[in-house]
Structure formats: structure tokens, C-alpha cells
């Protein structure tokens, strides 16, 4: 048991570290710890989660996180939209339909 206080910044760092390690599932686990700790994720939190799925080429999961931003009253920026578009480009097969849907929402 550590004495590190969990706050949004600390958990965002854990989400980001998981993404950089190529583990989007672990990134989600860290993200979900925010709710457990009764913390409110911010745009950086969602951006890191979206980026994790974008890097793994999962356009569906990336767009789910984009939608979750809106459900949490956090406005997506061009950065998050571009991350989802990147996921569409990385998907196998490429997800042109999802990319058009996201581009129209921008």
C-alpha cells in the first residue's frame, strides 16, 4: 500500500503510461479508478483513453470514449476527433464509414 494520493493528474499519468506501453485495456482500468476514487475525468483523461484505442486501431472503442466525453459534459476538441480518425486509419480493415461519421461531427 503506497501513500500516493490518487488525483486526476496522477491517474491521467497512469492512463498515459499504459497507452505508451501499448496496453489500452490497462489504460481503461486506470481511467475507471477515477470513478472509484470519486474523481472527475477531464479532457486529458478522455484524450489519453481515446489515444490508447487509436494506437491499437480500434475505431469503435475510440469513438465510444469520444461519445463518453459528451456524456460527461466535456467538449471534444479537434485533438480528440483526430485521434478517432487516426483509429479509423489504423483499423484493419480501414473504417472509412466511421471516419466520415466522425468528420461530419467535427
Amino acid at each position: 500500500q503506497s501513500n500516493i494520493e490518487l488525483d486526476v493528474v496522477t491517474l491521467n499519468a497512469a492512463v498515459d503510461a499504459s497507452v505508451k506501453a501499448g496496453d489500452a485495456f490497462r489504460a481503461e482500468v486506470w481511467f475507471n479508478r477515477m470513478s472509484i476514487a470519486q474523481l472527475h475525468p477531464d479532457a486529458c483523461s478522455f484524450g489519453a483513453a481515446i489515444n490508447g484505442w487509436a494506437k491499437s486501431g480500434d475505431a469503435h472503442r475510440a469513438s465510444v470514449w469520444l461519445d463518453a466525453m459528451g456524456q460527461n459534459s466535456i467538449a471534444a476538441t479537434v485533438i480528440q476527433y483526430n485521434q478517432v480518425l487516426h483509429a479509423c486509419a489504423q483499423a484493419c480493415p480501414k473504417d472509412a464509414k466511421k471516419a466520415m461519421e466522425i468528420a461530419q461531427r467535427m
Side-chain angles (χ1 to χ4, degrees), residues 2-73:
S2 74
N3 292 328
I4 298 172
E5 182 178 335
L6 292 180
D7 61 13
V8 173
V9 174
T10 303
L11 290 170
N12 282 353
V15 171
D16 190 53
S18 298
V19 168
K20 287 179 179 172
D23 192 345
F25 288 103
R26 175 62 59 192
E28 276 196 15
V29 169
W30 283 112
F31 186 99
N32 291 331
R33 298 250 338 242
M34 288 185 216
S35 314
I36 295 166
Q38 298 181 330
L39 299 170
H40 301 286
D42 58 17
C44 292
S45 311
F46 283 98
I50 292 168
N51 193 38
W53 292 112
K55 286 185 174 198
S56 67
D58 192 328
H60 172 74
R61 292 296 304 157
S63 66
V64 165
W65 281 100
L66 182 68
D67 293 341
M69 284 186 79
Q71 293 164 358
N72 283 274
S73 301

Side-chain angles (χ1 to χ4, degrees), residues 89-104:
Q90 295 299 312
C92 188
K94 308 289 185 223
D95 197 341
K97 182 179 177 184
K98 177 66 72 182
M100 289 301 297
E101 173 191 316
I102 296 301
Q104 289 173 351

